[in-house]
Amino acid sequence: MTLTTEKTVREIAIENPATVRVFESLGIDYCCGGRRPLSEACERANVPVTQVLELIAKTQPDSQPSGKDEWADATLASLIEHIVTRHHGFVRQEVSRLEPLLAKVGNKHGDTRPELRSIQELFSALSQELMAHMFKEEQVLFPYIQKLEAASRGGSQLPGACFGSVEMPIARMLAEHDDAGELLAQIRTLAGDFQPPEDACPSFRGLYHGLQEFERDLHRHIHLENNILFPRAVELERA
Ligand SMILES: [Fe+2]
Ligand SMILES: [Fe+2]
């Protein structure tokens, strides 16, 4: 991989998925803000670009022979199936686990740790947004992309859609991803980068660990949609 600071974070993450670890550890947005050049993304995250380049140079070669993201060239139908099964499934499973855990920890420690109540409110808003968002993807956008791919493979006419171009619902989904990314960032700040206090009980620790895993998974999920699935669907429609 030839790395220049003009390359976008998205391009770097797709070419070498091992770099995602570097981006995560330094708070560099590679999903919602993946279209920014590396230099600009570093500036926003307040990290010297030279440090990022050094860390990227040290990343281990990926298990993929090409080094590329394993989903970069997959069929869109299989990528969609992966997103729905793995990532939408994870969101649903973790929301039903973390909401009661947040309530429990908030009730117990909310008086001395008022940030827990704010985190609970933000997480509840995030969950509601995500449920509605995933429903739209699963019921409208993803089936349309699957039909688009099938039509292009079969050389048949593009499917008709009430929304006109696929770019319309995609623009909406991108905006919702930005909102979700913003809520996640607020949760991370309130939770002090998910570092529990020294004297935290096991539930408190489990909660912060769960929230951090939730964030990591959502970043990967949004990366697959923003940086691989959606651009390829737009390309397919244009072609
Ligand atoms: Fe999704
Ligand atoms: Fe999405």
Side-chain angles (χ1 to χ4, degrees):
M1 177 178 67
T2 338
L3 187 56
T4 65
T5 55
E6 281 74 46
K7 264 198 175 168
T8 62
V9 179
R10 162 186 188 267
E11 287 170 319
I12 299 168
I14 292 173
E15 283 175 13
N16 177 8
T19 58
V20 164
R21 274 211 189 91
V22 175
F23 296 144
E24 287 273 6
S25 69
L26 298 171
I28 294 174
D29 182 2
Y30 73 96
C31 48
C32 296
R35 283 162 205 281
R36 292 188 189 105
L38 180 65
S39 50
E40 191 190 323
C42 290
E43 214 177 294
R44 280 179 162 253
N46 222 355
V47 186
V49 73
T50 45
Q51 185 193 346
V52 179
L53 290 172
E54 272 170 33
L55 289 169
I56 289 178
K58 283 187 207 152
T59 52
Q60 295 299 313
D62 203 77
S63 52
Q64 281 287 103
S66 65
K68 264 208 255 175
D69 191 295
E70 60 182 317
W71 292 103
D73 301 319
T75 63
L76 298 187
S78 61
L79 174 55
I80 286 171
E81 197 203 334
H82 170 74
I83 289 172
V84 172
T85 315
R86 169 75 182 79
H87 296 289
H88 289 195
F90 183 79
V91 169
R92 292 189 171 105
Q93 173 202 305
E94 287 301 282
V95 162
S96 57
R97 189 180 77 86
L98 291 171
E99 280 195 324
L101 187 57
L102 263 162
K104 181 181 155 189
V105 178
N107 284 339
K108 213 170 167 199
H109 304 288
D111 291 342
T112 49
R113 294 256 161 201
E115 67 273 20
L116 285 168
R117 300 220 164 100
S118 311
I119 293 172
Q120 192 179 355
E121 276 171 30
L122 289 169
F123 190 78
S124 164
L126 175 64
S127 324
Q128 281 175 30
E129 282 186 18
L130 285 176
M131 292 303 163
H133 175 86
M134 294 188 306
F135 183 80
K136 284 181 264 183
E137 287 181 336
E138 290 169 17
Q139 299 300 315
V140 183
L141 180 56
F142 290 176
Y144 182 73
I145 295 177
Q146 281 162 330
K147 282 187 206 150
L148 203 58
E149 185 177 54
S152 125
R153 286 178 174 235
S156 52
Q157 261 210 323
L158 290 186
C162 56
F163 43 74
S165 162
V166 75
E167 293 185 55
M168 298 296 286
I170 284 179
R172 177 80 189 267
M173 295 300 110
L174 291 174
E176 292 182 4
H177 289 169
D178 286 349
D179 293 344
E182 181 54 39
L183 287 168
L184 273 179
Q186 287 179 41
I187 292 174
R188 171 178 274 278
T189 304
L190 282 166
D193 288 331
F194 304 113
Q195 292 304 312
E198 287 278 299
D199 58 348
C201 65
S203 299
F204 199 141
R205 288 176 190 279
L207 173 67
Y208 273 18
H209 178 262
L211 288 172
Q212 189 163 20
E213 289 297 304
F214 192 87
E215 180 196 63
R216 185 173 301 145
D217 190 82
L218 198 58
H219 282 166
R220 170 78 184 152
H221 175 178
I222 293 178
H223 165 66
L224 289 176
E225 292 175 357
N226 279 23
N227 299 333
I228 300 181
L229 179 64
F230 295 167
R232 285 185 58 199
V234 169
E235 222 173 84
L236 206 58
E237 190 186 56
R238 284 186 188 155

